[in-house]
Amino acid sequence: MIQRDDILSMEFLKKTEFTGSHQGMRYRLEGVSREEGKRLLATVWPEPFNYVTTPEEKKQRAEFTFDEDGVTDAVAWMNDRLFEDREQWQGSSRNWD
């Protein structure tokens, strides 16, 4: 399970994206500008490839508020993806072929 402590501070997220992986699932958090203000975009995709080389159809995204509550909500969403799509993450090692 991904924990809030696994994600770097809001000060870090204000400057650049944060990436990580857990049990075959890769994830990325980044700030994005929208008309209504800055938002936190969370993206998950199966290993082994990085964000840039992974096809868009394999990525799942959700947006959250760009604050501490948004990070907590993003972590909960990523854990939901980890649980609900666990077969996809467990089979990610086959993607090396």
Side-chain angles (χ1 to χ4, degrees):
M1 178 176 274
I2 302 166
Q3 303 293 321
R4 169 58 186 100
D5 293 341
D6 296 334
I7 311 301
L8 293 179
S9 69
M10 286 302 301
E11 292 304 313
F12 181 88
L13 290 171
K14 287 178 183 177
K15 296 176 183 175
T16 190
E17 70 277 347
F18 176 80
T19 59
S21 66
H22 188 74
Q23 297 180 352
M25 181 184 81
R26 297 220 172 169
Y27 56 88
R28 174 178 162 141
L29 297 173
E30 62 185 303
V32 293
S33 295
R34 301 286 189 239
E35 287 184 19
E36 64 274 9
K38 196 158 190 174
R39 303 280 293 167
L40 182 66
L41 178 64
T43 307
V44 297
W45 67 95
E47 289 184 341
F49 303 112
N50 67 24
Y51 180 83
V52 174
T53 59
T54 299
E56 287 298 313
E57 64 270 10
K58 293 192 176 206
K59 297 175 186 174
Q60 299 176 51
R61 292 185 172 91
E63 283 190 19
F64 304 92
T65 57
F66 194 78
D67 55 18
E68 195 58 46
D69 288 340
V71 175
T72 301
D73 292 344
V75 168
W77 177 80
M78 291 187 297
N79 282 321
D80 287 346
R81 301 287 61 72
L82 188 63
F83 175 74
E84 291 176 14
D85 301 329
R86 67 181 165 267
E87 290 176 9
Q88 178 180 359
W89 317 128
Q90 291 170 348
S92 65
S93 63
R94 292 187 300 269
N95 292 335
W96 283 103
D97 296 335

